[in-house]
Amino acid sequence: MLDFFQDDELDIIKKNMELFYKITEVNCMLIDDTGNTVFSQGEMFNYCTKFMELTGDKSPCCGAHLYASKQSELLGESYIFFCPGGLVHITCAIIIGNVFRGALVAGPIQMNITDPYVIDNLIKVYNIPISARGILQSYYKIIPIIAPEKVRYLANLLSIITKDIVGDQKYELKKKKDFYLEQKIINENIQEIKEENNFTSKAYPIELERELSGKVRRGDLEGAKAILNELLGYILFKHSGNNDKVISFIIELVVVMSRAAVEGGGNFEEIFEQNIKFYKTAFSIHNVEELCVWIVKVLEKFTELAFKLNKDNVENTNVIKKALQYINNNYNKNISLDEVAKHVNLSPTYFSRFFSKETNMKFSEYLNMVRVEESKKYLLDLKYSISDIAVMMGFSDQSYYTKVFKNYENISPGKYRKMYN
């Protein structure tokens, strides 16, 4: 089975497996595309040896390792699982040339405490002689115990060393991970829609488009993604099986986002050129699931164009993104410049100048813009009074809220409410 990996590939794999084992003291093995072990780092535990001996030809270990590795391939990241013997393992698929070549499997370990019922359960499931109970119990107790939070770090480390092995294929793994996550979120939204009463008579949620536009204008990428996935869930459920309609709705969302990017301060010519490219791409993608993942990338581009940051300085960009996300998550509280500065580990004075330079607006201006945008959805709901909304958005009083709202929208909150109700 060594022929399945080239010599240079195997050298890198062995080196990285040794690195993982030396750092973590957790066993690591390389399996091929059939689940068979090619190479191991660390001595096999007596528990595993005895379990495989007792299950014989019916041993489920190889099959379980292969299945978990395929799940890792699907997710595009490491995968934590319980093996048939009741122990925790971590696996990460090795994809070379877009082909599943095998995986690294780390373990076995236990998380937190020993489960006293594991052995009894195995005896029942695999018809293991009761006489083997004592020896299995003794072997099971010496399997290393690792806290769950550390297991997550081990999984991340295994991903890192695997990506070093697969080289450029790590980008394919990331695409698969993004695809899986987007589909998971969309499917959850579809399920929520199914559970709603009177859904068939429910109109297209145009108010969500307005929220999406607002989040694009202010650079709130995470918030915009959540709204977009909610809209996609509605579209896919309402028009399931009608690809032409789905594509038409998605093209409409591209228009909404491009308009928001221009309103947010993006360059019109640049956005117009992007639109042409996006339209051509949209009509060339025939798989609806891929189209949904693609439009998230479109959202990222338009948000970037609407709220331009200096990408030449990655560190500065990350600090601003962290500050923006904190503001967008806490706008309805009495947050201050000092508080946000502390969150990004900068002095208030420096952060104030830094924020203005990177975003072309003062901290208070951005905070007020977020509060105004978020208040719009509550203005559409008549059960909230304008004074209630002012307090909910973090403004000191209704008068100040009205003044700020008119400054951004050129109309009062009351007129905005009448316009859309």
Side-chain angles (χ1 to χ4, degrees):
M1 287 300 174
L2 289 178
D3 292 339
F4 194 70
F5 294 96
Q6 297 178 13
D7 290 342
D8 57 339
E9 293 171 347
L10 199 59
D11 287 342
I12 295 173
I13 292 170
K14 287 182 177 180
K15 179 191 74 175
N16 286 12
M17 288 174 65
E18 181 183 14
L19 178 67
F20 181 87
Y21 177 69
K22 294 292 185 183
I23 292 173
T24 66
E25 296 184 342
V26 174
N27 290 357
C28 188
M29 63 181 174
L30 169 66
I31 64 171
D32 62 20
D33 66 333
T34 65
N36 290 313
T37 302
V38 174
F39 177 75
S40 296
Q41 188 67 247
E43 190 174 343
M44 182 180 288
F45 283 92
N46 289 333
Y47 178 85
C48 298
T49 304
K50 190 67 178 176
F51 177 72
M52 287 190 284
E53 174 192 320
L54 291 168
T55 51
D57 294 338
K58 296 181 180 179
S59 175
C61 296
C62 287
H65 293 162
L66 182 61
Y67 174 80
S69 300
K70 288 289 188 176
Q71 293 300 304
S72 168
E73 180 191 15
L74 173 66
L75 295 172
E77 62 179 3
S78 55
Y79 183 73
I80 301 170
F81 67 102
F82 280 90
C83 73
L87 299 173
V88 175
H89 288 71
I90 310 163
T91 183
C92 199
I94 298 175
I95 313 295
I96 300 176
N98 289 322
V99 176
F100 175 78
R101 302 281 290 277
L104 296 185
V105 181
I109 58 174
Q110 298 181 73
M111 287 197 288
N112 275 343
I113 58 173
T114 298
D115 185 345
Y117 302 106
V118 164
I119 304 305
D120 290 338
N121 186 57
L122 294 182
I123 289 171
K124 290 179 182 178
V125 172
Y126 298 104
N127 293 318
I128 294 173
I130 193 68
S131 58
R133 185 177 186 275
I135 190 70
L136 282 174
Q137 285 279 22
S138 62
Y139 288 156
Y140 178 71
K141 289 178 181 178
I142 60 175
I143 301 294
I145 298 173
I146 297 178
E149 58 269 20
K150 187 175 180 182
V151 174
R152 187 67 259 172
Y153 290 124
L154 289 175
N156 290 339
L157 179 59
L158 193 67
S159 288
I160 291 169
I161 69 170
T162 306
K163 286 174 182 176
D164 181 60
I165 295 166
V166 302
D168 290 340
Q169 294 297 312
K170 63 188 176 184
Y171 300 110
E172 287 299 317
L173 291 174
K174 185 178 185 303
K175 281 172 63 178
K176 286 187 176 184
K177 179 182 178 181
D178 290 345
F179 180 87
Y180 175 82
L181 288 176
E182 293 300 333
Q183 290 306 304
K184 179 175 180 289
I185 293 169
I186 291 170
N187 287 335
E188 287 173 353
N189 287 329
I190 290 174
Q191 188 57 42
E192 286 181 11
I193 291 169
K194 285 180 180 179
E195 293 170 0
E196 288 183 7
N197 295 325
N198 302 319
F199 170 75
T200 52
S201 61
K202 184 178 178 181
Y204 179 76
I206 191 69
E207 70 280 358
L208 288 180
E209 282 194 0
R210 297 192 192 105
E211 284 189 54
L212 177 64
S213 294
K215 291 183 184 296
V216 170
R217 285 197 296 270
R218 69 180 191 245
D220 180 8
L221 180 58
E222 295 307 310
K225 280 184 179 180
I227 299 289
L228 177 59
N229 281 319
E230 195 171 342
L231 283 164
L232 290 173
Y234 175 94
I235 293 166
L236 292 179
F237 182 74
K238 185 78 171 180
H239 304 288
S240 177
N242 190 334
N243 284 9
D244 289 341
K245 273 199 172 181
V246 170
I247 292 172
S248 296
F249 272 104
I250 287 179
I251 291 294
E252 171 61 23
L253 289 177
V254 173
V255 174
V256 169
M257 292 186 292
S258 65
R259 190 181 301 122
V262 172
E263 292 170 355
N267 181 278
F268 176 82
E269 296 297 330
E270 186 176 1
I271 292 169
F272 182 76
E273 287 180 13
Q274 288 291 339
N275 258 359
I276 295 173
K277 293 178 183 178
F278 290 151
Y279 293 154
K280 290 180 179 178
T281 304
F283 286 110
S284 68
I285 300 174
H286 302 294
N287 183 290
V288 171
E289 287 77 18
E290 288 182 13
L291 195 62
C292 290
V293 175
W294 167 81
I295 198 174
V296 174
K297 301 300 180 187
V298 174
L299 169 64
E300 291 174 354
K301 184 64 179 178
F302 280 137
T303 305
E304 175 189 309
L305 291 172
F307 208 85
K308 280 200 169 184
L309 298 174
N310 182 11
K311 299 185 77 173
D312 293 334
N313 191 321
V314 176
E315 185 176 349
N316 284 2
T317 299
N318 289 338
V319 170
I320 288 296
K321 285 182 177 179
K322 187 176 180 181
L324 296 182
Q325 199 59 51
Y326 187 82
I327 295 168
N328 279 287
N329 290 340
N330 297 279
Y331 66 87
N332 57 338
K333 300 174 184 175
N334 188 26
I335 60 172
S336 62
L337 184 145
D338 288 12
E339 182 181 336
V340 181
K342 182 178 180 181
H343 180 71
V344 295
N345 298 313
L346 294 175
S347 72
T349 304
Y350 179 78
F351 174 70
S352 179
R353 293 197 302 267
F354 175 76
F355 189 92
S356 297
K357 178 184 175 184
E358 295 294 324
T359 66
N360 293 314
M361 67 175 71
K362 295 178 181 177
F363 166 80
S364 59
E365 291 173 340
Y366 183 80
L367 176 59
N368 282 336
M369 180 176 70
V370 171
R371 286 171 168 171
V372 166
E373 287 291 347
E374 287 295 326
S375 73
K376 290 177 182 178
K377 62 185 176 185
Y378 294 101
L379 287 170
L380 301 180
D381 192 336
L382 297 178
K383 74 180 180 183
Y384 297 105
S385 69
I386 292 178
S387 60
D388 287 339
I389 295 171
V391 173
M392 288 164 59
M393 295 299 103
F395 288 102
S396 55
D397 54 53
Q398 180 181 341
S399 176
Y400 182 54
Y401 165 55
T402 300
K403 178 182 177 181
V404 172
F405 193 96
K406 288 179 71 173
N407 185 48
Y408 280 96
E409 300 297 325
N410 295 318
I411 59 173
S412 68
K415 286 185 178 180
Y416 182 91
R417 166 170 275 179
K418 289 179 182 178
M419 185 184 301
Y420 293 106
N421 274 306

